[in-house]
Amino acid sequence: MTPSVESATLALYDTDTNETMIVPSTPDQFNTDVDDSRPIHRPYGITWSQDNIFVASRKNLLVYDNQLEAVEVVRNIFDENSHSIFYRDGKIACAMVRKECVAFYDVATGDMEMYHPQHGWGDDFPNNQNGNYTFRLNGLGEKDKTIYYLLYNTLSGDRELHGINTETRQPTTPMRFNCSVDHAHGVMIRRGKYLTLNQRGTLEGLEDQVLQVQIPEGYKARGIAGDEMTWACAYHLFDYTGTGSYINVYDFSQGIDYNSAPTKIRYVEGVGSINDMRRIDGVDFCHRNQHDFKLCPSIFHKAYLISTMM
């Protein structure tokens, strides 16, 4: 852990001007009832409603108003390794790695229920023991009232995409990625294709590899955002020791080619290792938030909201 990590919860970054706006953390946001496997302040998933911006930091949910003022810390509602979050119709879905399930937290009432890929709906599920995952579940996406979640199935050795219809509360038929790398983050749904980015920098569909991001040796990719025309991804040092991360931006307007070169390569200093990022000035096929992001400072033309950790 470095001071830059502990002192920051969010950053806004403009890929055109290379300007960064850091949102500082506050000590009351830090986790107090967690193990030492990760920092006590470890922002990850980002989402927002009409009025608030939400950040998952291990067990805690950090709440901001639309001027990025911290207004609340909801403690100990997630597991110790919470990842992506997604707001829809008053509830926040959270991919929980330790409990291997998706949590659904009602923002108004504080009620919680969970969906497990093997056991279905329940009030709670136990943590896996010593990192011995059956389903390493970490990424969320959404389309047509279905919440999709990405997992690595250790029983079959497959990376899979599962879904839950939020109206019927029934699961969809799981889809299997034809790939060999178990760690991947992010779900992008574009032109009927389901895509994810593995840590080696390969953007993959269910049946084929779509794009290879050229990342330096010793780095891993994590964090995607973009729409039909423009897509961005992040990568950082594999051991989390760097003080900043890279962001590549690609032009998809003429289609996606496996060997496409980025139109921009940016280095974002002071954010440590990017966990998750969202486009905030337009449509994001990696998130599909139902509400516009209300805070769009004039200094940002192409901005992405980034949560940071080391």
Side-chain angles (χ1 to χ4, degrees):
M1 181 187 303
T2 63
S4 62
V5 174
E6 191 168 281
S7 64
T9 295
L10 294 167
L12 281 77
Y13 178 71
D14 187 320
T15 60
D16 285 340
T17 66
N18 208 27
E19 293 177 279
T20 306
M21 172 182 165
I22 300 292
V23 180
S25 62
T26 56
D28 65 306
Q29 294 178 332
F30 298 172
N31 286 263
T32 57
D33 184 26
V34 292
D35 63 24
D36 61 0
S37 63
R38 285 161 178 79
I40 58 173
H41 181 61
R42 190 226 186 189
Y44 205 110
I46 313 158
T47 193
W48 54 88
S49 65
Q50 187 172 0
D51 302 311
N52 294 106
I53 300 152
F54 304 98
V55 180
S57 176
R58 300 195 70 178
K59 286 186 173 183
N60 294 344
L61 179 67
L62 315 181
V63 186
Y64 289 82
D65 64 18
N66 58 20
Q67 296 302 308
L68 285 176
E69 294 292 332
V71 296
E72 186 180 6
V73 178
V74 186
R75 293 192 171 278
N76 299 324
I77 61 171
F78 300 135
D79 72 3
E80 296 199 29
N81 195 9
S82 58
H83 273 54
S84 298
I85 60 175
F86 184 86
Y87 178 88
R88 173 70 65 178
D89 298 331
K91 293 185 178 182
I92 293 175
C94 176
M96 300 201 299
V97 178
R98 294 276 181 92
K99 291 181 180 290
E100 305 182 321
C101 66
V102 182
F104 290 86
Y105 173 74
D106 191 306
V107 175
T109 67
D111 293 338
M112 175 79 81
E113 59 180 343
M114 303 178 188
Y115 188 87
H116 191 281
Q118 194 172 47
H119 305 299
W121 291 99
D123 294 330
D124 197 7
F125 295 100
N127 290 321
N128 55 50
Q129 298 299 312
N130 302 317
N132 294 319
Y133 305 103
T134 302
F135 307 104
R136 193 181 192 283
L137 189 156
N138 60 14
L140 295 178
E142 190 273 349
K143 194 172 190 300
D144 299 332
K145 300 187 183 299
T146 297
I147 300 287
Y148 292 95
Y149 58 94
L150 182 70
L151 62 83
Y152 178 70
N153 186 338
T154 62
L155 299 177
S156 65
D158 295 326
R159 182 151 12 101
E160 299 171 352
L161 190 66
H162 294 235
I164 309 165
N165 185 294
T166 55
E167 288 189 335
T168 66
R169 293 172 56 87
Q170 296 299 309
T172 61
T173 302
M175 294 174 276
R176 173 181 171 273
F177 284 89
N178 183 24
C179 48
S180 58
V181 181
D182 57 354
H183 276 58
H185 295 80
V187 178
M188 181 179 186
I189 304 172
R190 178 184 185 271
R191 297 187 178 181
K193 283 194 171 185
Y194 300 86
L195 307 171
T196 185
L197 181 70
N198 72 35
Q199 66 181 14
R200 295 179 185 172
T202 309
L203 183 65
E204 300 174 312
L206 293 170
E207 299 179 352
D208 54 357
Q209 298 180 342
V210 176
L211 171 71
Q212 181 59 53
V213 179
Q214 298 299 323
I215 61 176
E217 185 177 352
Y219 281 72
K220 70 176 178 180
R222 181 164 57 179
I224 58 177
D227 61 8
E228 184 82 6
M229 301 298 181
T230 305
W231 181 77
C233 68
Y235 49 98
H236 59 78
L237 280 170
F238 201 92
D239 61 4
Y240 303 99
T241 58
T243 60
S245 296
Y246 287 92
I247 292 178
N248 283 12
V249 180
Y250 293 83
D251 180 0
F252 284 176
S253 61
Q254 303 301 314
I256 310 174
D257 183 83
Y258 180 80
N259 296 308
S260 293
T263 57
K264 301 171 189 172
I265 300 176
R266 298 287 189 253
Y267 183 73
V268 191
E269 179 58 70
V271 299
S273 302
I274 293 172
N275 272 326
D276 203 2
M277 64 184 192
R278 302 292 182 219
R279 181 179 179 180
I280 63 174
D281 67 338
V283 175
D284 186 353
F285 285 4
C286 308
H287 192 56
R288 296 181 182 273
N289 202 292
Q290 69 183 120
H291 298 288
D292 292 335
F293 190 79
K294 292 297 184 68
L295 180 71
C296 282
S298 58
I299 63 170
F300 294 122
H301 174 61
K302 282 286 183 184
Y304 293 89
L305 191 61
I306 306 167
S307 73
T308 64
M309 63 88 72
M310 290 285 279

